Structures are given as C-alpha cells and as structure tokens.
Amino acid sequence: MMTASNPGQQDPSNNSEVSGSEEKQDVGGYFSSYNDLSVHQLMLKDRPRTLAYRKFFETNREAVKDKVVLDIGAGTGILSLFAAAAGAKKVYAVEASDVAFLCKEIVEENSMDEIIEVIHSPVEKIELPTKVDIIVSEWMGFYLLHESMLDSVIVARDKFLCSGGIMAPSHATIRMAPVDMTEHFQDRADEWSNIYGFDFSPVASAINRNEVVQPLVECLCPDVLRSEPKELLNLDLRTVTLEEVKKFTTSLEFCVPLETKIHGFACWFDVDFNVKVSEAKNDHESLMNFPSSISVNEKGDAKCDGLCSTNTTARSPIKQLEEAVSLRTGPKDPPTHWKQTVIFLPQTIAVGAGTNLTCRVTMSQDIGRNKRHYNITVALTNGTEEEEEEEDDSEDEGAESDTSTDHPVPCQCGSARCRLIAALVEKYDMEHEELGDEAELVEVEAEVDAARELDEAIENEGWPMDASTSTPSVDDG
C-alpha cells in the first residue's frame, strides 16, 4: 500500500499560562511537530489558504456577528482573529501544541483577549460552557485526509455545534487524474549527466527508484495531466461521520485522449465555504469591527488597519460579497503548501490514444500503527471478464492468458500477474543488492518459498485481473 506519514519534530516552548494547559500524551509527536514555528510561518504565508478564510469572514459578517466561534487547531490564532474582527461575541481558540502560549501573546498584542479565549488542549478533551454557532478549522492535509485531523473536527461538531450551526469549510472534495512524469525524470537525468565532466547518471536512477516507491508531494505543471480529473471523494462537513472517513473505496474511469505514458495518479483537493444566512441584515455598525483594509506585501506579510475601531464616522461598511468562497489546490490553481500528491504505479504503462483507463482506489486509516496516516491503494482494472478474455486471445497483440506460467520473468505483456511479478522483482532488486549474501539467506529462502507457493496458486486457481501497489510512507514536510 502507498502510505503517507508525519514526522515527529520537537521544539520546546515557554511556560505562559493558557486556559486548559496540561500534560498530554503526544502519540507519534504529532502535536509537538507544530511547535516548529517554521510550520506556522509556511501556513500564514500561504496566501490562497489564508486569504480564503479571511474572505469567508468578510463575506459572512452578518452570520458571524454576536455569535460563538470554535477554532480547532488554532495555531498562532489567525482564524480566531478573523472571527473576532468580523464581530464574533466569543471565540474559543483550541490548540493542542505549545504554540498555544504564543497564540495567547498574539491575541493580547492585538487587544482581542476579551473576545478570544485560548485553550491549550486537544479538542476531544475540552468542555465548553455553551454550544457554538460556528466551527472553523484548517484541518486539511496532503491529499486532504493526511493527518486525520478531520476526526477531531467531526468529534467537536457532534459535541459542540448548535442546531443549524455553520461549518467552515462546509464541503471538501478530493480529485484525481493520471499523470505523465517523463519531463520530471528527464530533468533529473540531464542534471546528473554531466558532473564536472563526468556522467553521474546512476545517481539519477537511484534517486528515481527511491522516489517512486512512495507518494511524491510536488507542485505539478498542468501539462503532466493526461485526462480530465475525476472526483474521488466528496464530503459534506455538516453530516460526514467518522466511519465514512475511516475507509472508502471508489472506482474511477479516465479517458486518455492521446498516446502517452502513465507513471501514476495525482491527487489534490478543493474546499468550499457555503453559508446560507436567513434574514441577513445590513447592519452598518456590525461592519465596523472588521478592518477597513488589509495590505499584504510580496513576502506574504499582512498589516491590518483599524482592527477594532468602532468609530462609525471614520469607517465605511465593506460591501457584502456574493460569490462563493473556495480554496483550490490543483495543478491549474495558485500554488499552496499542500502542492499535489503523486501516487506512482509499480511500472510505467504505455497508453494508446482514446484509451479508457480504469482504476480502483482505496484509502484507509492505518489503525494498527498510527491512525493519522492513511494507506492508499490504487489497483488498475481491465474492465469486464469478456473484454479480458478477448485481449488474452488476441493474436495481433501476442497476449497470453493470465493463468499461463510460460511467461518470462519479468514479462512486459501487461497482464495483472506479470505486472505483479515485475513489481516484486523490482522491489527485491532495490531491497536486496546481493541476494546471495549469507546473512540474508534465511529470509531469501522464505521469499523463494512464498514465490513458489504463489506460482502453484496461479497454476491451480488462476490470478485476479488487478494489481495493487505497496510502498513505504512519505513524510509530511
């Protein structure tokens, strides 16, 4: 399976007093990884991300005025500040990492401490004196679900959100498309082809082998897409359950219009902020609590003017925005720190013009080791059994039945059995540079026995017409 994971970064913090502060067990170092201020700098200066949330509060000031807001995973507190500036009566900024202490300092520095209460705790462990009207959170990870922070949002929603309350964002969608990464690999080959006059191409090959056995997080050029993206998963954050995000399987079919190579599939996500406000009032005074202007320079640094002013004579109301608020993270959108995630196939496949490429995708939380990580399985499928039999019987293609054991090893015929065997051979080549080493003899003999059992099973019972890929994990950057 193709699995993604988080690094455990450590960074001590100060000991300022924050509501709800306590000793906590940080499994896998998840919360402590957010003590690294460079992580928060990256997120704050991610303009598409931060400006989408700011636009949500600008657009929906009438829905926010005099309401109670819960900010889950508040970090340094920017979303809580947006909520308070939009007129929220009370904001609970919940942050499990020690950055909560810094968040409290920032809130006090901006004279928002009478509105914003910073709580240092996982949201699952807190109690609030009242229900909340709005839950806001930037919970999204790579390919949307990495980190499984959505679980915490769902738990908090079921516990704290009042009837008819607002989720921000309200909807989320994962999209997927096949990609041709030839240029990516060629650029690397060119880079290593001449090192001080010597050919270092083996280095490029080694890097490529290491790269394709795990998901690649990269900003992709739209040109690498080889089909229109398809919707892999759509979530309504107001109703989605924990079970629905624990595991799901979807079959997708892509029409590839031109002859190409396919190295794998790229994933990204979109989130939407849909709020229906009944009897919204254009209250002039309610608009005065929002900054009249927020300027952002080229470095992403923002300066807010008149953040808390109530001088109605010196202010003019900000016009209510009517367009929907969305955050897009695809190859054709402005780049974000999430980039896109490429899931490589065990072998590059050649696809003819007009081919329909079908795959089955499964994502599941890694409950056994770390539920914040997801296992991702992509299985290519060949359509109906009748179509597969026609392919096997085709003399023009020279194809043979999947149940045949006469194929060379490795074989490039493209059948499910041969794709699987080729993937195993490639994996063995990478993991065992010298299979004859005496120190590994026992393990190798076990693998050989397993391969023999596999061949016997293939001869006796045949082999299903799909192939899944299995790779180690990728670290969250």
Side-chain angles (χ1 to χ4, degrees), residues 46-89:
D46 184 334
R47 289 171 58 85
R49 163 202 180 269
T50 307
L51 294 180
Y53 281 88
R54 191 187 78 175
K55 186 177 180 182
F56 161 73
F57 285 106
E58 286 180 340
T59 304
N60 299 285
R61 291 183 301 276
E62 286 85 352
V64 178
K65 183 178 184 295
D66 295 329
K67 296 300 192 296
V68 179
V69 178
L70 173 60
D71 179 3
I72 302 173
T76 51
I78 186 64
L79 305 188
S80 294
L81 291 169
F82 287 157
K89 175 176 64 177

Side-chain angles (χ1 to χ4, degrees), residues 94-337:
V94 181
E95 173 56 42
S97 79
D98 289 344
V99 169
F101 302 115
L102 181 60
C103 179
K104 186 173 188 295
E105 291 184 39
I106 294 171
V107 168
E108 293 172 347
E109 186 72 19
N110 287 275
S111 302
M112 288 289 194
D113 47 311
E114 292 187 0
I115 300 175
I116 302 174
E117 179 182 343
V118 180
I119 302 175
H120 183 208
S121 172
V123 72
E124 292 88 347
K125 295 184 178 182
I126 71 170
E127 296 294 336
L128 298 178
T130 181
K131 293 284 188 177
V132 303
D133 304 291
I134 301 171
I135 290 180
V136 63
S137 179
E138 195 274 80
W139 52 267
M140 299 84 74
F142 296 140
Y143 58 84
L144 187 69
L145 296 177
H146 181 55
E147 297 184 17
S148 296
M149 186 178 167
L150 178 56
D151 287 18
S152 298
V153 175
I154 293 173
V155 169
R157 178 203 65 195
D158 294 344
K159 185 176 181 180
F160 298 119
L161 189 64
C162 68
S163 176
I166 295 171
M167 295 293 294
S170 60
H171 296 79
T173 304
I174 303 177
R175 304 192 188 278
M176 175 179 271
V179 291
D180 179 357
M181 302 293 287
T182 299
E183 186 173 348
H184 170 79
F185 293 120
Q186 186 60 51
D187 288 344
R188 178 173 292 147
D190 294 342
E191 177 184 358
W192 287 96
S193 63
N194 188 341
I195 302 297
Y196 300 102
F198 297 97
D199 188 349
F200 271 59
S201 296
V203 175
S205 298
I207 295 174
N208 290 343
R209 287 195 298 270
N210 292 333
E211 185 175 74
V212 299
V213 296
Q214 61 185 7
L216 171 68
V217 178
E218 188 67 80
C219 280
L220 301 177
C221 173
D223 293 344
V224 305
L225 302 182
R226 288 299 179 261
S227 178
E228 288 298 315
K230 293 296 181 69
E231 184 179 291
L232 179 62
L233 179 69
N234 186 280
L235 300 176
D236 184 337
L237 276 302
R238 297 167 299 188
T239 59
V240 65
T241 66
L242 290 172
E243 286 299 318
E244 289 173 331
V245 298
K246 182 181 297 183
K247 180 179 180 180
F248 68 91
T249 299
T250 305
S251 292
L252 300 176
E253 183 175 355
F254 301 93
C255 179
V256 182
L258 302 176
E259 182 178 352
T260 185
K261 293 180 179 178
I262 301 296
H263 293 89
F265 296 85
C267 294
W268 63 90
F269 67 87
D270 304 331
V271 295
D272 297 292
F273 300 78
N274 296 333
V275 178
K276 295 182 180 180
V277 183
S278 60
E279 300 181 0
K281 297 179 181 179
N282 186 17
D283 184 348
H284 180 88
E285 292 184 358
S286 70
L287 305 179
M288 296 307 102
N289 288 331
F290 207 85
S292 62
S293 64
I294 302 181
S295 57
V296 183
N297 62 25
E298 291 299 323
K299 295 181 179 180
D301 299 319
K303 178 182 179 182
C304 301
D305 297 322
L307 187 63
C308 301
S309 174
T310 56
N311 182 357
T312 58
T313 61
R315 284 266 179 280
S316 60
I318 302 176
K319 183 179 179 181
Q320 176 75 20
L321 300 177
E322 296 180 355
E323 65 268 27
V325 179
S326 301
L327 171 60
R328 305 282 184 252
T329 69
K332 298 180 181 180
D333 302 306
T336 69
H337 75 279

